[in-house]
């Protein structure tokens, strides 16, 4: 009887872990790009579309890149005629929906371009990692572009 209970518990745990890993497989990153930094400035921003093809609501909790000291989730909002930028603790990606990170809206704020990458320019590819709740992560590359 104890062996049976142990087997059932083990099966439930492995099924739960497998379903969480499948969430990572249902995330698609599209149109990812990084704003080419102004010479001498170590900060920039990144834009992308995150497509969630799963039936689960996903919670994006952080982002990182080996090229930058830190990457934060940010949002721009208009309040009383003033544009304000705020750090976000997370972004929800609804099931079967896409969320766009675009200029003057949600975006990835890139801080502290590391010295060994000081000369990123249009056409370069920058690696990123997005971390979702329950330790699901997605890696992608974004191309550096000059804004239009």
């Amino acid at each position: 009887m104890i062996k049976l209970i142990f087997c059932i518990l083990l099966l439930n745990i492995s099924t739960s872990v497998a379903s969480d890993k499948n969430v990572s497989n249902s995330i698609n990153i599209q149109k990812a790009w990084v704003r080419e930094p102004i010479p001498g400035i170590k900060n920039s921003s990144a834009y992308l579309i995150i497509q969630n093809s799963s039936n689960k609501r996903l919670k994006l909790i952080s982002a990182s890149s080996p090229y930058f000291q830190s990457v934060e989730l940010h949002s721009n909002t208009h309040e009383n005629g003033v544009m304000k930028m705020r750090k976000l603790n997370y972004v929800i990606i609804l099931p079967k929906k896409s969320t766009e990170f675009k200029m003057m809206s949600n975006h990835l704020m890139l801080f502290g371009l590391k010295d060994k990458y000081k000369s990123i320019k249009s056409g370069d590819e920058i690696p990123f990692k997005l971390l979702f709740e329950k330790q699901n992560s997605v890696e992608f590359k974004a191309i550096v572009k000059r804004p239009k």
Side-chain angles (χ1 to χ4, degrees):
M1 182 67 171
I2 292 176
K3 286 183 182 180
L4 177 62
I5 292 172
F6 178 75
C7 287
I8 291 171
L9 287 173
L10 190 58
L11 181 61
N12 283 338
I13 290 169
S14 64
T15 302
S16 172
V17 170
S19 67
D20 286 342
K21 290 194 183 293
N22 288 336
V23 170
S24 295
N25 294 333
S26 64
I27 299 168
N28 185 24
I29 306 300
Q30 301 171 341
K31 299 182 180 179
W33 67 283
V34 170
R35 181 184 197 110
E36 183 177 43
I38 298 168
I41 303 297
K42 293 189 170 204
N43 300 337
S44 188
S45 50
Y47 310 97
L48 62 146
I49 297 170
I50 304 173
Q51 182 181 14
N52 176 7
S53 61
S54 77
N55 293 319
K56 294 183 180 184
R57 182 182 89 134
L58 302 176
K59 187 175 186 179
L60 175 62
I61 56 174
S62 70
S64 62
S65 171
Y67 279 56
F68 292 89
Q69 292 175 9
S70 68
V71 178
E72 295 179 356
L73 309 173
H74 274 224
S75 178
N76 285 349
T77 56
H78 257 101
E79 291 182 16
N80 300 322
V82 177
M83 181 63 79
K84 294 185 178 186
M85 183 168 56
R86 290 195 174 97
K87 180 181 176 184
L88 302 172
N89 293 322
Y90 60 87
V91 173
I92 299 296
I93 317 297
L94 296 174
K96 305 290 186 190
K97 298 284 182 186
S98 295
T99 297
E100 185 172 8
F101 286 64
K102 58 187 177 181
M103 291 173 54
M104 307 309 284
S105 185
N106 287 352
H107 59 280
L108 299 180
M109 193 67 208
L110 315 175
F111 293 103
L113 179 64
K114 294 180 180 176
D115 288 339
K116 65 181 178 180
Y117 304 113
K118 63 184 170 187
S119 63
I120 65 170
K121 60 192 178 312
S122 199
D124 290 346
E125 288 188 338
I126 309 296
F128 285 90
K129 184 177 190 176
L130 300 179
L131 181 63
F132 293 84
E133 196 171 52
K134 299 183 181 176
Q135 303 303 309
N136 292 306
S137 64
V138 173
E139 295 182 14
F140 67 96
K141 289 186 179 177
I143 192 160
V144 177
K145 295 182 182 181
R146 288 189 185 115
K148 296 178 183 179

